[in-house]
Amino acid sequence: MNFVANPKAGFRWCGVPIALASTGAISLVALLSFGAYGAVMILGRVRPLRNAYQFLSRACDRLLDRLGQEVLQDPRDTPALRLMVSLSVSAIPIFLIQLGLGKPRLLLVIAFYISLYGLKFQRFVRMFSAKHLEAHRRQGYFSEKYDRVFGRYLEFFLGNLYGNVPELDRTVHVHLHHRENGGFDDTAESRGYDRTSRLDFLWYLSNNIWTVLGIAPYAYFKASGDEESRRRVLWGMARYYAYFGAVAIYDWRIATMYVLVPLLCMNFLSAIIAWVQHAFYDPEQPDDYFAHTATVLDELNFMNEGYHLCHHHRAGLHWTEMPVHLERIRDRMRESGSLVFRDLDFMGLFFELTLLRRMDALAEKLVPWEPMNHEQRLALLAKRTGVGTYSLR
């Protein structure tokens, strides 16, 4: 179908201001997120505070473990329940209090951003992973008794706070991204860019806003004749735009700080994830998703998000089973030259690959299938991250 190339080229220039605005928004939020992390590290040295936090954390974990047995389809998904509860008792009350007060309050805005993104963006990482896996569940996480009220709670409710248009996960991610597997017609593919170039990432970011807003996926489904997905995306867009418009009518300043900034941050952060998850295209086998889907193994790896290739190979596989599945597909991964990195998450991969361009550091973290010296690893990374056989520039 070769859908992606032409729309991207047409969308690019009018998306540049959005790319710059997204960069500014994420810079502001990053300052607060990392600043809060530094403050917490200092407070953590105070033993009474640290002990009180650990006591409350363990008590909450025990309570949520019992609750998960009752309300979830699969109690193994309790980490997602913890996230939902945490956001529900922090970000939502802050937003409602702000709506009640009317005039934006600086401290409330700061608290809202920290509650959404967490320390060092860890809460966003958890949110992204949890809503990603929720999209592959027909009834979301909750058992039938509670699904009628809390069905797809992350995507259709909490996701609005993050600038996540409803249906982009359940429909676009499942029926577009997993259908195309990062291939030529995927709205998220990046082979027309140099993945080691910061300027190319900005071009990619300027295009990504049309996916975040649902416009590019809508065009994809219309071109492919998938009427059900097209209608669902249109309905999701209408719901989100109505939400944005209602807040803007109430107070444009609140809409700017509480809706527009998270939307711009979603554009930036989702672009990072799409950029690196399928960054390593092999020009000799351009259609093999095993070759261009990266696996990253780090300490956090919330709900095993780093096992991205396992997820593409078996999308319905429960996240707790992915490490075992990785062992099952090792031979095919070796044949395809699939890249695996250790001690690295996707955010770290973006920093090393694109922002800092520290290929030496990436070469050290690369886990090769055959013995390779440092120079051979560097040559492999250079081959797999340059501009592809066609370019959009």
Side-chain angles (χ1 to χ4, degrees):
M1 185 168 59
N2 283 333
F3 161 80
V4 171
N6 289 336
K8 278 188 175 180
F11 288 152
R12 167 170 288 173
W13 288 106
C14 55
V16 169
I18 298 294
L20 297 178
S22 298
T23 303
I26 201 66
S27 299
L28 168 64
V29 171
L31 178 64
L32 296 174
S33 180
F34 282 88
Y37 172 76
V40 167
M41 290 299 99
I42 294 173
L43 292 174
R45 296 177 181 177
V46 181
R47 180 173 294 180
L49 291 177
R50 183 175 67 250
N51 291 341
Y53 170 78
Q54 291 174 347
F55 173 79
L56 291 174
S57 180
R58 288 192 294 266
C60 288
D61 285 344
R62 289 193 295 268
L63 176 62
L64 289 171
D65 284 340
R66 291 196 296 270
L67 184 62
Q69 297 285 336
E70 167 67 21
V71 304
L72 297 176
Q73 290 189 61
D74 191 331
R76 292 178 295 177
D77 294 325
T78 298
L81 179 63
R82 291 192 185 99
L83 174 70
M84 287 184 268
V85 171
S86 179
L87 284 168
S88 298
V89 301
S90 58
I92 292 177
I94 293 170
F95 184 52
L96 293 177
I97 291 170
Q98 179 62 88
L99 290 177
L101 293 175
K103 182 180 178 181
R105 303 297 200 275
L106 178 60
L107 290 180
L108 282 177
V109 172
I110 292 173
F112 182 72
Y113 292 159
I114 293 175
S115 68
L116 280 187
Y117 300 100
L119 309 179
K120 297 202 307 183
F121 285 100
Q122 288 186 5
R123 183 169 285 183
F124 175 84
V125 170
R126 290 178 169 87
M127 169 65 178
F128 188 91
S129 299
K131 74 181 183 65
H132 169 203
L133 294 178
E134 181 191 58
H136 291 274
R137 314 287 179 85
R138 288 188 176 182
Q139 291 183 313
Y141 288 115
F142 291 95
S143 61
E144 185 175 354
K145 178 180 178 181
Y146 298 94
D147 180 67
R148 297 174 184 176
V149 178
F150 298 107
R152 302 196 176 276
Y153 186 66
L154 284 166
E155 179 181 358
F156 288 169
F157 186 67
L158 293 177
N160 287 285
L161 301 178
Y162 284 90
N164 190 81
V165 174
E167 294 290 0
L168 291 197
D169 292 292
R170 181 173 68 166
T171 299
V172 177
H173 176 76
V174 176
H175 297 295
L176 194 166
H177 181 59
H178 275 268
R179 178 185 297 168
E180 301 295 344
N181 281 315
F184 288 101
D185 291 323
D186 197 329
T187 56
E189 73 90 35
S190 60
R191 80 187 71 208
Y193 304 85
D194 179 355
R195 274 82 69 198
T196 66
S197 167
R198 286 167 289 202
L199 180 59
D200 273 34
F201 174 74
L202 287 178
W203 285 125
Y204 182 82
L205 179 63
S206 72
N207 290 323
N208 190 66
I209 187 63
W210 307 111
T211 296
V212 169
L213 291 174
I215 296 172
Y218 177 86
Y220 170 92
F221 289 128
K222 184 176 181 180
S224 64
D226 188 342
E227 281 299 304
E228 181 180 357
S229 295
R230 183 190 66 81
R231 286 194 298 268
R232 285 186 173 183
V233 169
L234 184 61
W235 172 235
M237 291 164 62
R239 288 175 61 181
Y240 182 78
Y241 296 166
Y243 158 70
F244 198 150
V247 178
I249 291 171
Y250 179 74
D251 190 305
W252 68 267
R253 297 165 300 179
I254 293 178
T256 299
M257 302 305 296
Y258 287 82
V259 186
L260 179 59
V261 168
L263 175 66
L264 294 173
C265 288
M266 175 59 75
N267 182 43
F268 197 98
L269 293 168
S270 65
I272 287 177
I273 295 169
W275 178 259
V276 297
Q277 284 183 336
H278 300 276
F280 300 97
Y281 293 97
D282 186 347
E284 297 176 5
Q285 41 186 353
D287 294 320
D288 185 1
Y289 72 91
F290 262 70
H292 64 243
T293 304
T295 298
V296 297
L297 307 176
D298 71 295
E299 193 172 304
L300 176 61
N301 208 3
F302 184 73
M303 300 184 83
N304 287 330
E305 182 70 26
Y307 290 86
H308 197 61
L309 177 57
C310 292
H311 176 66
H312 269 268
H313 185 246
R314 287 279 304 278
L317 190 69
H318 195 270
W319 60 273
T320 59
E321 301 170 16
M322 289 181 187
V324 173
H325 190 67
L326 181 69
E327 297 303 315
R328 296 194 190 108
I329 62 175
R330 286 178 67 88
D331 290 341
R332 184 173 172 187
M333 292 174 69
R334 180 185 293 106
E335 292 172 4
S336 298
S338 181
L339 298 193
V340 179
F341 298 90
R342 57 175 171 79
D343 302 325
L344 196 66
D345 58 20
F346 285 120
M347 197 70 72
L349 178 56
F350 173 74
F351 271 81
E352 300 290 7
L353 175 65
T354 305
L355 284 192
L356 302 177
R357 291 183 285 189
R358 298 202 311 169
M359 303 305 284
D360 283 323
L362 280 183
E364 290 296 325
K365 295 180 182 294
L366 179 66
V367 183
W369 297 106
E370 306 293 342
M372 280 186 178
N373 60 35
H374 190 69
E375 288 70 26
Q376 289 172 323
R377 296 185 189 195
L378 286 173
L380 175 62
L381 292 173
K383 174 185 175 183
R384 302 284 289 275
T385 55
V387 177
T389 55
Y390 75 97
S391 176
L392 305 178
R393 288 176 297 177

mmCIF file of all heavy atoms in Angstrom, residues 164 275 294:
data_model
loop_
_atom_site.group_PDB
_atom_site.id
_atom_site.type_symbol
_atom_site.label_atom_id
_atom_site.label_comp_id
_atom_site.label_asym_id
_atom_site.label_seq_id
_atom_site.Cartn_x
_atom_site.Cartn_y
_atom_site.Cartn_z
ATOM 1 N N ASN A 164 -3.799 11.245 25.737
ATOM 2 C CA ASN A 164 -3.919 10.009 24.974
ATOM 3 C C ASN A 164 -5.343 9.903 24.415
ATOM 4 O O ASN A 164 -6.297 9.719 25.165
ATOM 5 C CB ASN A 164 -3.623 8.803 25.867
ATOM 6 C CG ASN A 164 -3.499 7.518 25.083
ATOM 7 O OD1 ASN A 164 -2.454 7.235 24.509
ATOM 8 N ND2 ASN A 164 -4.557 6.726 25.053
ATOM 9 N N TRP A 275 10.362 5.643 17.965
ATOM 10 C CA TRP A 275 11.644 5.869 17.288
ATOM 11 C C TRP A 275 12.638 4.754 17.608
ATOM 12 O O TRP A 275 13.335 4.258 16.718
ATOM 13 C CB TRP A 275 12.175 7.220 17.736
ATOM 14 C CG TRP A 275 13.502 7.693 17.244
ATOM 15 C CD1 TRP A 275 14.682 7.652 17.938
ATOM 16 C CD2 TRP A 275 13.803 8.347 16.005
ATOM 17 N NE1 TRP A 275 15.689 8.236 17.208
ATOM 18 C CE2 TRP A 275 15.169 8.677 16.016
ATOM 19 C CE3 TRP A 275 13.044 8.699 14.899
ATOM 20 C CZ2 TRP A 275 15.802 9.318 14.960
ATOM 21 C CZ3 TRP A 275 13.662 9.341 13.839
ATOM 22 C CH2 TRP A 275 15.019 9.652 13.876
ATOM 23 N N ALA A 294 13.668 -4.024 18.580
ATOM 24 C CA ALA A 294 14.718 -4.119 19.595
ATOM 25 C C ALA A 294 14.184 -4.733 20.885
ATOM 26 O O ALA A 294 13.003 -4.593 21.225
ATOM 27 C CB ALA A 294 15.294 -2.739 19.885
#
